[in-house]
Amino acid sequence: MFGKETFHKISFVFLAVFFIGSPFSISLSQITGGLSLFFLFLDQIQKRKFPSFPLPLIFWVGLYLSFLLTPLFHTESFHWKQNIVKSEFGDIWMGLLLLHQNYLSKLEKKKLKSYVVLGGMFLILSGIVSFVFHYRLAPYVMDGFRYVEGKRLPHLLAEIKGISLYLPIGFQSTHLTYGGLLAVYLPPVFATTYRLVRRKSSIAKFSFFFAGSLVISAFGLVLLFLNQSRSIWIGFLLGIFLLIQKQKTPLKKLIPWILVGSFFILSILVLFYHTNWIFQRAIDDVFAKRSLENQRIWIHKMNFSILKDNVLFGIGAGNYETSFIDYAIPIVDSIPELYYDLSITPKSHTHFDFLHGILLGGLIAFCFSIGFLWSITKNLEGVKRHFSFYLGIFVILIAGSFQCYLLDDEVLLPFMGLLALLPTQKLDLSPTSRIQKKFPREAVIQLPMFRFVPISFGILVFWICLSLTTTYLWSRTENKDLSLHRARTKDNFPSPLSQLSLNAKTPVPLPIPTKEWYFKLSGCLDKEMNFKKDPVPRKKPIRLVILWDEAYRSDLPQSIAIEIRKRESFDQDKEYRVQAESVVRKISLPKIGKEHWIEVDPLAFENNTPEFVDFGFWYSWDSETPYLPRIRIQGNCD
């Protein structure tokens, strides 16, 4: 009934569908990826063979098994659902896609590459649709091609001549996931287009396909930039460096491509930077010490605190969020105003792939992680031609120093699928087996064993060490220094000059001829709370003082209006802005030439949910040399 290769062919078909379907649905990719493995196992059973494990898969399985060491050592707290089913350990099966590496022929891998390119084109097309479509594609399709009231809308990127443009995310739920998929799928699309460009005969023979490929590649580059996944940008920059080194391409040939790419980037930058605040934020946050949505410093403070106490065996799968909170509670008890920043900080992962594995599995996970990276890069070294097709593997590994892309199922599955298409490598432990053919015996003796260390592996290790060092130094910031009352513009951008007036030693000069100045100042929580206790209404009044320096009297504001504002604390950025705000009271202060005390009774505007009491300051001047008065604000607002 079934031929000798029937199950193998069915497995191949499901793998092809897997590459095409991954950009559309995580469920579809899991189903098709799982079925490809199922028929692979049936094929091996029929042939009465034990599956052959490629080296990266051995390291992968070892890494994930190390996550269970601590839970198994502490059986009293072990829970199978938390520590196995719904934890990081549940992703171990996705690595089994690597089994295909040893069972696919060169011809089959070549055919599957075309399906990867097709999937990449679908990913780009879905990104273009989401760029102009005013609903999120995934829920819109799942709800029967209609919008259900209350579903989250896409983030508005810009409005150009009445046309609304949105943050491109395709069928994904976040721009980071879409950026990760772009990293996997764009290099194959670019590589295909590049080969068509080099084959001048194909331009005339397949003019329609050539033009379509060129246009889609250009749109892919634009989407990569607009997607704002800065970690992926860095990954591509280092990836291009590796590609140049690998291909030894003369600089003369690269200059036209560099100029074209630079023109694209500068054009988009000029088009969107001055017209769109969300795009400005993505660029400005790169240079900001701390920004409104930047909790990365807290993540790494917790990461290294956890690592310090669990370096040997780690904390185990499924325990990261609990450990994060346990280390955060003493901080909040000592500095209550930090509760808000810690509460909205993402606690599901470390935002660092390599570090996350070490936190869960300790030193054993460290060894397996290094082995996994080495085995992957060793496989990459085996790519003789079309190295650029697999560039996304390197990009994801580099970008993993900023996000946990290998914990994101939508990215991990196609990443593993791409690894399965790499040439099969056999581990050769003889350091001189191939070198002896090219060099005399005397030269071989002097050669180190560097051939075991691919260039890409060296770049990865250097980058990870640099990232770990940077994040560690960042995490050393004192907790009290992070108690920051933020000054913001009316559009919730940082207001640097206003920030300087907080607890300053002298008034702050403003640009001439400023006549009016408005900024918002984040206040303090109206509840006393911690992670493991219910909020209690705050009874102590919230206070701050506007100081009046006699030496600058003529240059200080002629009039002062104060807004008492309430801001939701736990909105989690629903509209890609700072939390919903409202003005509950306005106060006009007379110019009396002395300190102005602002006092707010938090019980006067109390809600059931915890909120912030913020302040809005509206100054106006008659003076030609305006100065911002100093504001003294302390801790949890006194």
Side-chain angles (χ1 to χ4, degrees):
M1 183 176 180
F2 292 103
K4 192 174 181 180
E5 297 297 324
T6 300
F7 291 132
H8 180 79
K9 291 178 180 178
I10 295 175
S11 176
F12 174 86
V13 170
F14 276 117
L15 197 57
V17 177
F18 162 81
F19 283 117
I20 296 174
S22 290
F24 296 105
S25 168
I26 178 60
S27 298
L28 180 62
S29 60
Q30 287 176 335
I31 292 171
T32 54
L35 287 172
S36 73
L37 289 173
F38 175 73
F39 284 100
L40 173 63
F41 294 144
L42 288 181
D43 179 62
Q44 295 305 296
I45 292 172
Q46 185 187 43
K47 295 175 181 177
R48 297 182 180 180
K49 292 182 180 179
F50 189 80
S52 173
F53 284 70
L55 193 58
L57 179 56
I58 295 173
F59 285 117
W60 177 263
V61 172
L63 172 64
Y64 273 69
L65 289 177
S66 71
F67 298 167
L68 297 183
L69 292 177
T70 296
L72 292 177
F73 287 158
H74 300 84
T75 55
E76 71 282 355
S77 60
F78 177 80
H79 193 281
W80 67 273
K81 183 178 290 186
Q82 175 186 340
N83 298 119
I84 296 182
V85 179
K86 293 187 176 181
S87 72
E88 297 88 348
F89 183 78
D91 292 341
I92 188 172
W93 77 270
M94 299 183 191
L96 296 178
L97 286 172
L98 286 166
L99 288 171
H100 289 292
Q101 187 180 96
N102 287 351
Y103 294 102
L104 292 170
S105 66
K106 289 184 178 180
L107 180 60
E108 287 173 329
K109 289 180 179 179
K110 185 177 180 180
K111 289 180 179 179
L112 285 172
K113 286 181 181 179
S114 63
Y115 291 106
V116 175
V117 174
L118 185 58
M121 290 183 174
F122 283 140
L123 178 71
I124 294 170
L125 290 174
S126 69
I128 295 172
V129 174
S130 68
F131 183 51
V132 297
F133 196 59
H134 46 282
Y135 300 128
R136 288 176 177 261
L137 291 179
Y140 182 79
V141 173
M142 292 295 293
D143 292 328
F145 296 93
R146 63 189 180 90
Y147 173 68
V148 177
E149 191 68 30
K151 287 292 181 74
R152 191 178 182 186
L153 295 172
H155 305 318
L156 182 65
L157 187 63
E159 287 189 357
I160 301 177
K161 295 184 177 181
I163 300 175
S164 297
L165 303 176
Y166 302 94
L167 192 68
I169 60 172
F171 279 86
Q172 313 311 311
S173 57
T174 70
H175 77 289
L176 293 174
T177 297
Y178 187 72
L181 285 173
L182 285 175
V184 174
Y185 279 101
L186 277 187
V189 174
F190 290 161
T192 301
T193 303
Y194 180 69
R195 287 200 299 272
L196 289 174
V197 170
R198 293 189 64 184
R199 296 177 188 172
K200 296 181 180 180
S201 59
S202 66
I203 297 177
K205 191 174 181 180
F206 305 105
S207 57
F208 179 78
F209 180 75
F210 169 75
S213 180
L214 197 63
V215 170
I216 288 178
S217 295
F219 272 114
L221 185 63
V222 172
L223 291 175
L224 176 66
F225 192 70
L226 293 179
N227 177 254
Q228 302 181 19
S229 296
R230 287 162 288 181
S231 56
I232 299 297
W233 295 351
I234 295 173
F236 267 105
L237 287 175
L238 290 180
I240 291 172
F241 170 80
L242 179 64
L243 187 62
I244 294 172
Q245 183 277 330
K246 178 74 174 178
Q247 296 187 344
K248 297 180 174 58
T249 307
L251 184 62
K252 184 178 180 180
K253 291 185 178 181
L254 291 174
I255 289 178
W257 292 95
I258 294 174
L259 291 175
V260 170
S262 300
F263 174 77
F264 260 112
I265 293 173
L266 290 174
S267 298
I268 297 171
L269 181 62
V270 171
L271 179 63
F272 285 97
Y273 184 79
H274 293 290
T275 59
N276 176 247
W277 78 273
I278 187 178
F279 195 80
Q280 290 175 9
R281 187 188 68 173
I283 302 299
D284 293 345
D285 280 1
V286 174
F287 306 100
K289 182 178 180 181
R290 287 189 294 275
S291 61
L292 294 175
E293 281 75 43
N294 187 8
Q295 299 94 24
R296 204 62 62 87
I297 189 169
W298 282 115
I299 293 172
H300 290 303
K301 285 183 76 69
M302 299 301 121
N303 288 344
F304 287 103
S305 296
I306 295 170
L307 181 63
K308 181 181 177 182
D309 296 335
N310 302 275
V311 68
L312 190 57
F313 295 110
I315 58 176
N319 292 327
Y320 180 77
E321 183 170 354
T322 302
S323 298
F324 188 106
I325 292 175
D326 288 341
Y327 281 87
I329 286 176
I331 297 175
V332 175
D333 285 339
S334 60
I335 312 177
E337 57 270 26
L338 293 178
Y339 177 80
Y340 171 64
D341 275 355
L342 282 165
S343 68
I344 65 171
T345 297
K347 306 174 186 63
S348 59
H349 57 80
T350 65
H351 285 70
F352 198 137
D353 276 323
F354 187 80
L355 183 57
H356 192 89
I358 298 173
L359 286 185
L360 298 187
L363 288 177
I364 297 176
F366 170 82
C367 296
F368 279 114
S369 295
I370 290 293
F372 181 66
L373 295 178
W374 174 81
S375 61
I376 289 176
T377 52
K378 191 66 178 171
N379 275 5
L380 279 171
E381 289 296 309
V383 179
K384 302 302 181 183
R385 299 177 59 197
H386 311 313
F387 176 81
S388 58
F389 186 94
Y390 300 99
L391 191 64
I393 296 171
F394 185 78
V395 173
I396 290 294
L397 295 177
I398 289 291
S401 294
F402 302 94
Q403 299 288 341
C404 281
Y405 285 105
L406 297 185
L407 290 180
D408 190 340
D409 294 358
E410 288 92 334
V411 178
L412 177 59
L413 276 165
F415 174 82
M416 288 297 181
L418 198 60
L419 284 179
L421 300 184
L422 285 169
T424 304
Q425 290 286 308
K426 294 181 179 179
L427 183 61
D428 182 9
L429 296 178
S430 172
T432 60
S433 57
R434 285 180 288 181
I435 298 178
Q436 286 178 339
K437 297 179 181 179
K438 296 183 179 181
F439 299 94
R441 190 173 192 76
E442 296 78 9
V444 172
I445 294 175
Q446 299 177 10
L447 284 174
M449 297 181 66
F450 284 151
R451 79 181 192 88
F452 280 110
V453 184
I455 294 292
S456 53
F457 178 73
I459 295 174
L460 271 177
V461 171
F462 172 76
W463 179 257
I464 289 173
C465 291
L466 180 63
S467 301
L468 285 172
T469 302
T470 303
T471 53
Y472 175 73
L473 294 175
W474 198 15
S475 73
R476 299 288 293 172
T477 306
E478 293 291 335
N479 295 337
K480 59 181 178 63
D481 293 335
L482 294 172
S483 177
L484 179 68
H485 294 283
R486 299 181 177 95
R488 301 170 288 143
T489 66
K490 62 182 179 64
D491 294 320
N492 292 323
F493 281 107
S495 180
L497 290 176
S498 304
Q499 191 74 46
L500 290 175
S501 70
L502 306 183
N503 297 318
K505 294 182 179 180
T506 60
V508 178
L510 291 175
I512 297 174
T514 301
K515 293 300 181 182
E516 292 186 332
W517 190 267
Y518 176 84
F519 68 94
K520 294 184 283 189
L521 176 61
S522 64
C524 303
L525 284 171
D526 62 357
K527 302 285 193 300
E528 296 177 2
M529 54 199 310
N530 205 324
F531 288 97
K532 293 188 177 180
K533 67 180 183 182
D534 294 331
V536 177
R538 171 178 173 156
K539 297 179 181 179
K540 187 178 180 181
I542 295 172
R543 301 190 303 173
L544 58 82
V545 58
I546 302 176
L547 300 174
W548 211 258
D549 293 87
E550 188 62 31
Y552 295 85
R553 180 184 181 89
S554 60
D555 296 323
L556 293 177
Q558 186 68 25
S559 66
I560 303 174
I562 306 294
E563 296 173 342
I564 309 300
R565 309 176 64 92
K566 294 298 291 285
R567 176 161 52 94
E568 296 178 5
S569 301
F570 308 98
D571 186 35
Q572 289 292 336
D573 197 25
K574 286 180 181 177
E575 300 299 333
Y576 218 70
R577 290 179 176 270
V578 177
Q579 294 71 25
E581 302 172 75
S582 62
V583 177
V584 295
R585 193 173 74 182
K586 294 184 179 180
I587 305 171
S588 293
L589 299 180
K591 185 176 180 180
I592 56 177
K594 62 180 183 180
E595 296 178 349
H596 292 277
W597 282 89
I598 313 298
E599 187 170 299
V600 178
D601 181 4
L603 298 178
F605 313 105
E606 184 186 6
N607 287 329
N608 293 329
T609 58
E611 291 184 315
F612 263 113
V613 176
D614 288 356
F615 302 92
F617 294 84
W618 193 286
Y619 297 141
S620 62
W621 287 266
D622 291 334
S623 170
E624 296 298 325
T625 55
Y627 277 74
L628 282 176
R630 297 185 294 145
I631 296 176
R632 187 169 65 212
I633 184 169
Q634 298 178 350
N636 203 16
C637 282
D638 213 351

